[in-house]
Amino acid sequence: MRADVVGATFMAVATSSPELFMNCVGTFVTKGDIGIGTIVGSSVFNLLAVPACCGLFVGQCVPLDWWPVSRDCLMYCLAVIALICTLWDGKVMWYESMMLFLAYFFYMAGKC
């Protein structure tokens, strides 16, 4: 496996682990509703701060193609809209969960 793939996977796990831990504690231990704020807040932080820090410490100019950046921004906006629509009535049904999961699956399959 290539070193950049391993590094990206490790970074994804490292940046998502705190929100997973906080959601588990908030849901199962304190029985609170911390989940949505944690997910959205952590996602915005991961979207903005992690690439900014990578750009600061890379030490060279990294050319970016417009397509991956535009695709990811569009998919993030659609994911936030889907999350709002899912949570609008205050409950999540199994088919809404399945639609969100399938959307993520197709997004990841499209990146390969």
Side-chain angles (χ1 to χ4, degrees), residues 45 49 82:
F45 178 80

Side-chain angles (χ1 to χ4, degrees), residues 25-68:
V25 169
T27 302
F28 300 115
V29 176
T30 64
K31 307 287 189 218
D33 59 352
I34 192 171
I36 298 167
T38 304
I39 293 293
V40 173
S42 178
S43 178
V44 169
F45 178 80
N46 290 346
L47 184 68
L48 299 175
V50 172
C53 290
C54 292
L56 287 173
F57 295 111
V58 73
Q60 63 184 6
C61 183
V62 178
L64 296 175
D65 189 22
W66 69 273
W67 173 243

